[in-house]
Amino acid sequence: MKKRLWWGIGIVVVLLAAGGWWFSRNAQSPLKVSAGKVSPISMQEDIYATGSVVPNSRQDVYVLNPGLVSKVTVKAGDSVKTGQVLVGLDQTLANAQVAQAQANVDAAQAGVNAAQGNVTDLKQAQSAVQSSAATAGAAQAGAGTVNISGTGGGNINGNSGSAGLNPASGGSAFPSALSSSGLGSSVHQAEGTLAQSQAALKQAQEALQVAQAQRDQLTYKSSLDGTALEVNVQAGNPAPVQQPLVVIADLKHMNVNMQLNEMDAAKLKMGGKVTVTSKTLGSTSLTGVIAKIAPEAVIQPSAQGNASPTVAVTVRLDQAPVLLKPGYSVTVQAIVATKKNVLAVPLESVFQEGSKNYVYRIQNGLLHKTEVKVGIGNDTDQEITAGLKSGDQIVLNPTNQLSEGQAVTPDLGSDGA
């Protein structure tokens, strides 16, 4: 029994000694890590985004008032000109309304003409009466001072001469004056009737304009030179309400619409140049200009419910080849910064903890967790503005197994030891 116990104790001692030797040996062996040297380079920061091709100018023609389609003058793919008729709705009722409104205008115009003629006649009669009264008054005034009977031998005598006009005889001046006063009242009434007729004419003319405008709304025309992308109507069928009758677009001038995250959008500038590529275009690339940056970020609906805010950006293409159709997907590259002789490290060598950036710097075979400040970056390199100097060795692919003060052996690869 004692012999077996001693054998067991001996085995445990041997195992402990072997384990201690293995851990001691491995603790003393530095970990081999892939490393690189910090060096100055020339670099540029790029932003890549996908976008959709859209026409710069587009007209979606929707029906204003439901009706029966009487004519369709275009089909999908046709070229159209500004002002060209695209679709016409039935105008039977509208034409009748215009005809009735025109008849009302004609009747109102006849009323104005009659009222104007009445005013003119009354004014002429009033003028004639006033002229007659003035003539008669002048004659009576002259008879009181001059004797023209021929019996007085030319004597100037207000009481002699039977051929003179005697104011006391009554004459015709007084009745004429009374008639002029009555005509004045009639003229005033006639002018009031004329004003009412003119107001009625204006109202009828405005009603005619409304009827004509409503009829014109049944004819739909193109507001631009372009191509018919969609034609969703047929003659003899009711006009659709939920979809456009016709869609016209200018395919010679195209844009690219894209959505960028907040950080990338903040780096873009109005008027900045971009490069646009597409599978459709193969190796051919297009140039474009940043034409619009939305003033706000919008959270797009997402099934996962975790969408981030994005900013709408529009790129205007300098030229739009025929192969590039509306709705095609393209890739946009924008160079937002370019620097020469900057300290940079491979992008994968930088790791984050909280809001700070770090690298593992290798000095005298030991790791030093070093905080760094970063500048511009691209898909391969990251500028370092503080924390490192040229010639420093860093770990290229840090992992969670690394820690401050750990002994390592740097593997510089093609850069040498």
Side-chain angles (χ1 to χ4, degrees):
M1 188 70 178
K2 290 183 179 180
K3 186 174 181 180
R4 290 181 179 179
L5 179 61
W6 282 108
W7 270 104
I9 293 174
I11 292 173
V12 170
V13 170
V14 170
L15 290 174
L16 289 174
W21 173 84
W22 186 86
F23 282 113
S24 175
R25 181 178 182 276
N26 281 274
Q28 294 175 358
S29 298
L31 179 66
K32 190 174 183 179
V33 294
S34 178
K37 289 184 179 181
V38 179
S39 59
I41 63 171
S42 295
M43 64 179 297
Q44 67 181 30
E45 182 177 14
D46 301 325
I47 290 177
Y48 288 90
T50 58
S52 179
V53 178
V54 296
N56 181 52
S57 299
R58 174 185 171 120
Q59 179 189 11
D60 289 32
V61 182
Y62 282 91
V63 67
L64 298 177
N65 297 298
L68 189 68
V69 178
S70 62
K71 62 180 178 180
V72 180
T73 64
V74 295
K75 62 181 182 297
D78 284 353
S79 297
V80 299
K81 295 294 184 180
T82 301
Q84 179 178 334
V85 174
L86 305 173
V87 177
L89 302 188
D90 182 71
Q91 297 183 358
T92 302
L93 178 59
N95 287 334
Q97 291 171 339
V98 169
Q100 181 60 54
Q102 182 64 60
N104 293 339
V105 169
D106 294 342
Q109 183 65 63
V112 169
N113 294 341
Q116 182 65 64
N118 189 34
V119 170
T120 301
D121 291 344
L122 288 172
K123 284 185 175 181
Q124 288 176 350
Q126 183 184 39
S127 178
V129 169
Q130 289 174 346
S131 177
S132 176
T135 301
Q140 290 175 353
T145 58
V146 178
N147 184 354
I148 61 173
S149 63
T151 60
N155 294 329
I156 301 176
N157 186 348
N159 295 321
S160 62
S162 61
L165 295 177
N166 186 357
S169 66
S172 62
F174 297 104
S176 297
L178 292 174
S179 298
S180 176
S181 175
L183 285 172
S185 176
S186 298
V187 168
H188 180 72
Q189 292 177 358
E191 288 177 337
T193 301
L194 175 60
Q196 293 176 351
S197 300
Q198 290 172 333
L201 174 60
K202 182 178 181 181
Q203 186 176 11
Q205 290 172 334
E206 291 175 349
L208 175 60
Q209 290 178 351
V210 171
Q212 290 171 335
Q214 291 175 341
R215 182 181 62 182
D216 292 343
Q217 289 178 351
L218 299 177
T219 300
Y220 297 88
K221 301 179 180 180
S222 176
S223 62
L224 53 89
D225 293 349
T227 302
L229 300 185
E230 298 180 25
V231 178
N232 301 312
V233 291
Q234 289 183 347
N237 291 341
V241 178
Q242 300 299 328
Q243 62 182 154
L245 306 179
V246 180
V247 177
I248 305 297
D250 178 7
L251 301 185
K252 294 181 180 179
H253 303 89
M254 307 286 270
N255 293 338
V256 175
N257 287 346
M258 54 187 183
Q259 298 287 334
L260 298 183
N261 62 52
E262 302 156 277
M263 294 186 64
D264 285 346
K267 297 174 183 177
L268 296 179
K269 294 182 180 180
M270 292 290 293
K273 297 288 186 178
V274 300
T275 301
V276 178
T277 56
S278 169
K279 292 181 179 179
T280 304
L281 301 177
S283 59
T284 303
S285 62
L286 305 175
T287 58
V289 176
I290 302 296
K292 182 179 179 181
I293 302 174
E296 63 176 347
V298 178
I299 297 179
Q300 301 293 339
S302 172
Q304 293 75 19
N306 57 354
S308 299
T310 59
V311 179
V313 177
T314 300
V315 172
R316 184 181 68 250
L317 298 179
D318 292 339
Q319 292 181 343
V322 177
L323 290 176
L324 206 59
K325 306 293 185 182
Y328 278 17
S329 178
V330 297
T331 299
V332 178
Q333 176 192 10
I335 301 174
V336 295
T338 301
K339 292 185 177 181
K340 295 182 178 181
N341 297 321
V342 297
L343 289 182
V345 298
L347 193 61
E348 65 271 16
S349 64
V350 182
F351 61 95
Q352 287 185 320
E353 290 186 1
S355 60
K356 297 182 178 180
N357 296 291
Y358 295 91
V359 298
Y360 275 117
R361 182 169 54 87
I362 305 172
Q363 186 175 10
N364 298 326
L366 300 178
L367 293 181
H368 296 276
K369 184 179 175 181
T370 304
E371 181 182 356
V372 294
K373 303 296 182 182
V374 299
I376 68 172
N378 53 35
D379 55 349
T380 58
D381 297 299
Q382 177 65 62
E383 178 191 10
I384 302 298
T385 60
L388 296 176
K389 63 181 184 298
S390 181
D392 283 346
Q393 288 186 356
I394 58 169
V395 177
L396 294 182
N397 295 287
T399 65
N400 293 333
Q401 297 177 347
L402 304 182
S403 60
E404 172 71 22
Q406 184 176 356
V408 295
T409 298
D411 181 6
L412 297 176
S414 59
D415 291 337

